[in-house]
Amino acid sequence: MSTQARSDTSAPVEVGQAMLSVRDLTVTFPSADGPIRAVNGMSFDVRPRERLGIVGESGSGKSVTAQALLGLTPRDHTTGSIVFEGEDLLTAPQDRLRALRGWDISYVFQDPLSALDPTRTVGHQVAQPLLLRRVPKKEAHRRAVEMLGEVGIPDPARRARNYPHQFSGGMRQRVMIAMALIGQPRLVIADEPTTALDVRVQAKIIDLLYRLTDEQGVAVVFITHDLGILAGLAERVIVMYAGRVMEECSTDELYYRSIHPYTLGLLESLSRISGPVPERLLTIGGGPPAPSRLPTGCPFHPRCQYVQPECRTTPPPLEVPPGGEHASACLRAAWLAERPGELR
Amino acid sequence: MTTPLLQVRGLVREFGHGPGLVRAVDDVSFDVMQGEALGLVGESGSGKSTTARCVLRLIEPTAGEVRLDGEDVLALGGPALRRLRSTAQLVFQDPYSSLNPRMTVADIIAEGIRIHRPRESSTTVKDEVVDLLELVGLRPDHLTRKPAAFSGGERQRIGIARALALKPKLLVCDEPVASLDVSIQAQILNLFADLRERLDLTLVYIAHDLSTVRHLCGRIAVMQDGKIREIGTREQIYEDPQHEYTRALMAAVPEPDPRSERAKLAARRSAQTTEAGRL
């Protein structure tokens, strides 16, 4: 594609080494009832070209984590470190972050209608990251049209002159993706990019993200509440609950051999289009806790069917249990690891 | 042989006029038997919600016939129409915008009873509201709170209790779990299944995805562009779909099974490369 000069401070990354390392990330918001911990000591890596899924329900802290990765959470309330290609984003100056955002790291928002500017043409908005970097207007426009074509907008030269309201939901999401990609980022963070879309459109967006990593070597962090969506796309999955990592492993390990009661419960409660139709769906009782009222000990213990007395007092560490293949934050992970697949 | 509780014949609803005329519902006919759960499935713009709203006469159909419990819905007016409204109730998709934030839960649930039976004593109304609350799995101490104190799943339970307050025969549910967390979706789907059994309710359940419908509905109608493309029993639709559109919808539903999902993704990719050109 283009030969646009990259920011030259970025060090080349070896394949297999992490391009993004998050360590002990904690985001706290002040509130009338005292500080609310939205993210509580998250640590994870993203490798180049990787497709990482982060799954969690409302209040799990998944979107706040995504915002923190772009330096969009208030700094005085964010601790830990987020090292992107050797540079800590939590201490980098603001203008350095502005240079990175939309260029080296970009973000696809959940709701394209509120993220797009209704008063500017789609072509102009897609070209924006280039215009901000002083790419000549004509060239920027040409590349915006090219990018709209890349993401599957038919007749891109004409559609670039349209406004967001003239696009359907799926097409708007493609516009968002075109905007995220025009700077040729190495990392794309997509926060529920398919949630409001019809299933056939959803599948097309998934295919597009897959193609990106496969053909252009972009790493994608895909954030969602839907384990179904991740199954085909992600190579690795992190399950979040109450601002913490509950389980982290390869996609197959998670879906076929999970060793965390929360993940097992999520998988059981999904309705499916094949297999036997149960009388009742199995459910996890109760609902996710509000970040302002987290229970003591393991945050999942009030809803857990395997709960033990010490779960109420001791938060379980995230570690690989004896006999297990991957990390799970559960005191009974070793017990669950002896029963792979049986509990589903 | 029982007669259907709901009969829809040749239902048409048009929006706009002249060259901008859109037929949102285009000659739709179906029956729903007493005690049955019918799923109405389609993508956005398929006309499924418009169909439901015409059946309840929340919007006026352009043409067609709707019979509910033996009555011609479209011919009714005044008190007779109000009576019909207590026979058929709606559960909305969005549990945030469909509950008045300034009313207490007790008042939200009792509102319909107070309108339809204005002379009812307040103790009877209160007793009924408490029973309804219990029926949907909420506690009596929730009565004095306002919607803001509840989570999405709890709000949806309040919406269901409100819909049940007038002892309807038909409950129309417009994507009632679409905006809920996965672990809460299953709870609400189970609640609908229980209520149907306990109250002998008839359900018309609208959804954009085929997976939630499968758990609740014995019969399913698939809609596209305002028309019913296919209608059949659960077994017919899921095991032997006849219409191309049903098959396409089915193939696109993601399932929590990485091996089969990767196979589907690979199949879609090779189909695209043969199509020549970009996605």
Side-chain angles (χ1 to χ4, degrees):
Chain A
M1 287 189 4
S2 93
T3 52
Q4 190 66 36
R6 310 294 327 181
S7 40
D8 37 29
T9 45
S10 56
V13 177
E14 308 268 322
V15 175
Q17 196 187 329
M19 70 189 312
L20 181 77
S21 286
V22 177
R23 288 295 170 270
D24 206 24
L25 177 68
T26 298
V27 184
T28 322
F29 294 109
S31 85
D33 311 327
I36 292 172
R37 275 202 173 178
V39 181
N40 197 350
M42 284 277 288
S43 296
F44 63 94
D45 288 344
V46 185
R47 292 183 278 268
R49 314 180 71 101
E50 187 177 35
R51 293 183 298 276
L52 172 70
I54 298 183
V55 111
E57 295 183 287
S58 21
S60 65
K62 57 188 194 301
S63 293
V64 177
T65 302
Q67 286 158 14
L69 297 185
L70 287 131
L72 297 174
T73 52
R75 278 214 169 157
D76 30 340
H77 301 298
T78 311
T79 59
S81 70
I82 300 172
V83 177
F84 177 70
E85 297 180 343
E87 193 177 353
D88 189 350
L89 302 185
L90 289 184
T91 54
Q94 287 294 349
D95 51 350
R96 175 67 190 137
L97 286 183
R98 264 195 299 278
L100 284 169
R101 272 186 221 132
W103 199 245
D104 300 280
I105 308 177
S106 60
Y107 197 92
V108 179
F109 290 88
Q110 172 172 0
D111 176 6
L113 198 54
S114 56
L116 292 169
D117 183 343
T119 66
R120 288 181 184 276
T121 63
V122 156
H124 180 85
Q125 294 183 64
V126 173
Q128 191 77 22
L130 299 179
L131 296 171
L132 285 172
R133 284 161 181 91
R134 302 185 201 293
V135 173
K137 223 170 156 188
K138 253 193 167 154
E139 164 71 4
H141 184 74
R142 187 190 63 73
R143 288 199 18 219
V145 169
E146 187 183 280
M147 192 48 78
L148 285 169
E150 285 280 322
V151 298
I153 306 270
D155 196 2
R158 185 178 63 82
R159 294 294 268 166
R161 291 192 295 273
N162 287 162
Y163 291 87
H165 76 269
Q166 293 167 296
F167 284 71
S168 67
M171 286 294 162
R172 267 181 225 138
Q173 199 54 275
R174 284 166 197 251
V175 171
M176 288 290 299
I177 293 174
M179 204 194 299
L181 293 182
I182 199 156
Q184 291 177 271
R186 295 185 292 294
L187 175 63
V188 173
I189 295 157
D191 187 3
E192 304 252 16
T194 65
T195 300
L197 305 175
D198 285 322
V199 283
R200 289 188 306 165
V201 184
Q202 242 179 32
K204 287 190 172 133
I205 300 292
I206 294 293
D207 293 349
L208 175 61
L209 290 172
Y210 184 91
R211 209 193 58 183
L212 267 179
T213 55
D214 198 46
E215 291 171 13
Q216 296 180 24
V218 179
V220 172
V221 176
F222 192 101
I223 296 167
T224 179
H225 68 281
D226 182 356
L227 273 168
I229 279 281
L230 285 180
L233 181 75
E235 295 163 296
R236 206 155 55 86
V237 179
I238 291 174
V239 179
M240 278 189 80
Y241 190 81
R244 297 165 192 261
V245 177
M246 291 282 118
E247 190 168 15
E248 178 182 352
C249 54
S250 76
T251 306
D252 285 23
E253 277 279 313
L254 189 88
Y255 287 81
Y256 301 131
R257 290 176 293 278
S258 164
I259 51 171
H260 198 288
Y262 175 57
T263 314
L264 289 165
L266 273 186
L267 287 168
E268 273 166 350
S269 58
L270 284 175
S271 44
R272 297 166 179 239
I273 58 154
S274 59
V277 185
E279 274 286 290
R280 297 172 62 82
L281 286 161
L282 292 166
T283 60
I284 309 174
S292 54
R293 277 169 303 189
L294 288 185
T296 55
C298 170
F300 185 61
H301 87 254
R303 305 174 74 191
C304 183
Q305 54 172 323
Y306 305 111
V307 67
Q308 301 212 307
E310 58 265 46
C311 300
R312 299 177 217 277
T313 51
T314 320
L318 179 73
E319 58 191 19
V320 181
E325 299 283 323
H326 66 261
S328 164
C330 177
L331 296 175
R332 303 195 71 175
W335 180 81
L336 290 164
E338 288 168 17
R339 294 159 181 78
E342 269 175 52
L343 295 163
R344 284 201 52 199
Chain B
M1 190 62 211
T2 50
T3 52
L5 179 71
L6 174 69
Q7 267 185 307
V8 177
R9 289 290 171 277
L11 191 71
V12 174
R13 169 68 210 211
E14 291 170 345
F15 290 107
H17 49 80
L21 183 96
V22 176
R23 268 204 168 189
V25 179
D26 189 359
D27 194 14
V28 163
S29 303
F30 60 89
D31 289 347
V32 188
M33 297 295 168
Q34 169 68 41
E36 190 184 33
L38 175 79
L40 215 51
V41 177
E43 294 178 304
S44 35
S46 63
K48 56 190 191 303
S49 295
T50 308
T51 302
R53 283 174 162 71
C54 285
V55 165
L56 297 173
R57 240 180 117 184
L58 294 176
I59 51 176
E60 295 293 327
T62 308
E65 195 188 332
V66 177
R67 298 192 79 83
L68 177 65
D69 207 13
E71 293 209 69
D72 183 352
V73 174
L74 305 183
L76 298 178
L81 181 61
R82 213 170 306 136
R83 218 167 35 244
L84 168 96
R85 293 257 152 89
S86 67
T87 313
Q89 287 282 310
L90 182 66
V91 177
F92 295 90
Q93 168 172 1
D94 183 356
Y96 291 87
S97 63
S98 60
L99 301 178
N100 185 336
R102 308 189 65 156
M103 283 166 79
T104 64
V105 170
D107 288 336
I108 288 172
I109 298 174
E111 191 177 23
I113 305 177
R114 293 202 181 113
I115 291 167
H116 285 263
R117 296 175 1 227
R119 315 178 98 159
E120 202 60 83
S121 77
S122 58
T123 35
T124 315
V125 174
K126 173 130 199 267
D127 287 348
E128 282 187 31
V129 168
V130 170
D131 288 347
L132 285 162
L133 215 57
E134 201 174 311
L135 191 65
V136 299
L138 294 172
R139 293 193 313 269
D141 63 285
H142 287 145
L143 279 176
T144 51
R145 300 193 201 167
K146 291 186 178 164
F150 296 91
S151 68
E154 290 167 330
R155 284 175 200 227
Q156 203 51 293
R157 288 177 194 266
I158 297 167
I160 295 167
R162 172 177 63 184
L164 293 174
L166 295 169
K167 305 193 167 50
K169 292 181 178 168
L170 175 71
L171 202 58
V172 177
C173 316
D174 192 355
E175 305 229 28
V177 303
S179 56
L180 303 178
D181 274 322
V182 180
S183 70
I184 308 302
Q185 282 188 7
Q187 293 172 5
I188 299 292
L189 286 173
N190 284 340
L191 175 64
F192 277 121
D194 290 346
L195 291 173
R196 189 162 77 91
E197 206 165 287
R198 283 174 65 177
L199 308 176
D200 193 31
L201 272 179
T202 306
L203 291 182
V204 171
Y205 185 96
I206 298 167
H208 69 283
D209 73 296
L210 280 156
S211 52
T212 52
V213 172
R214 180 166 174 265
H215 283 273
L216 202 59
C217 303
R219 217 152 53 89
I220 287 137
V222 180
M223 285 192 73
Q224 182 197 20
D225 299 339
K227 295 189 181 69
I228 292 185
R229 296 297 184 197
E230 184 168 2
I231 184 164
T233 63
R234 171 160 50 201
E235 291 71 29
Q236 287 168 339
I237 297 286
Y238 289 92
E239 281 154 37
D240 188 21
Q242 297 300 307
H243 199 278
E244 190 192 337
Y245 180 69
T246 313
R247 285 198 286 267
L249 271 190
M250 206 91 85
V253 176
E255 288 214 280
D257 182 344
R259 280 185 212 118
S260 75
E261 283 304 308
R262 279 195 294 264
K264 280 192 218 165
L265 204 141
R268 289 198 300 263
R269 278 171 69 77
S270 65
Q272 272 155 23
T273 41
T274 49
E275 246 171 50
R278 292 171 166 151
L279 185 92

